[in-house]
Amino acid sequence: MRNKRLGTQLIRDSKRHYQLYMLIFPMILFYLVFIYAPMYGIIIAFKHFSIVKGI
């Protein structure tokens, strides 16, 4: 019951302060694009590559 109440309170809070969440959104998007996405390239750097087989 407590988790359901916490979820409804979170939704109500996000509707009330949506401007703050809109300020946070670009920073989250920045981290996803420029910090998290390049991790795929780091993983590929340590894999054995063969022209015939691929990665």
Side-chain angles (χ1 to χ4, degrees):
M1 175 127 172
R2 180 179 166 102
N3 289 339
K4 190 172 184 177
R5 192 173 5 163
L6 181 63
T8 56
Q9 184 180 3
L10 184 64
I11 291 170
R12 185 178 27 179
D13 185 51
S14 64
K15 286 180 181 179
R16 184 180 300 158
H17 302 291
Y18 73 93
Q19 294 96 349
L20 292 175
Y21 289 104
M22 294 306 286
L23 286 172
I24 294 170
F25 180 72
M27 200 64 210
I28 292 172
L29 186 65
F30 174 82
Y31 272 96
L32 287 175
V33 171
F34 294 109
I35 305 296
Y36 187 70
M39 292 292 182
Y40 182 70
I42 292 172
I43 292 170
I44 289 177
F46 293 103
K47 298 223 177 196
H48 182 67
F49 178 72
S50 172
I51 295 173
V52 178
K53 293 180 182 179
I55 298 172

